[in-house]
Amino acid sequence: MVPVIAIFDIGKTNKKFFLFNEDYKIVEEVTVNFAEIEDEDGFACEDIRALRRWVLDT
């Protein structure tokens, strides 16, 4: 097993996950996009449930 550092980069458009090894080289990278949903007032917003699921599954 190789020790790694996990980083989640949660931006407005792209959500990224990186694993870095001890030499700070990327050993895995995942990028996803989620469709916006509407809140109870009809405004576009982040799908927090989908984001949460992705973080836990990753």
Side-chain angles (χ1 to χ4, degrees):
M1 187 174 284
V2 177
V4 293
I5 299 166
I7 302 289
F8 284 94
D9 177 6
I10 310 297
K12 179 156 175 66
T13 304
N14 296 313
K15 283 65 174 146
K16 299 176 186 172
F17 171 74
F18 299 96
L19 284 180
F20 293 90
N21 66 13
E22 292 176 315
D23 297 322
Y24 301 105
K25 305 263 191 227
I26 296 174
V27 295
E28 185 170 349
E29 178 179 352
V30 177
T31 302
V32 296
N33 295 310
F34 297 111
E36 287 186 335
I37 61 171
E38 287 187 0
D39 65 11
E40 60 274 357
D41 296 321
F43 294 104
C45 66
E46 188 73 47
D47 186 346
I48 298 299
R49 288 188 178 110
L51 178 60
R52 181 181 184 275
R53 250 188 330 270
W54 174 71
V55 169
L56 294 175
D57 291 345
T58 302

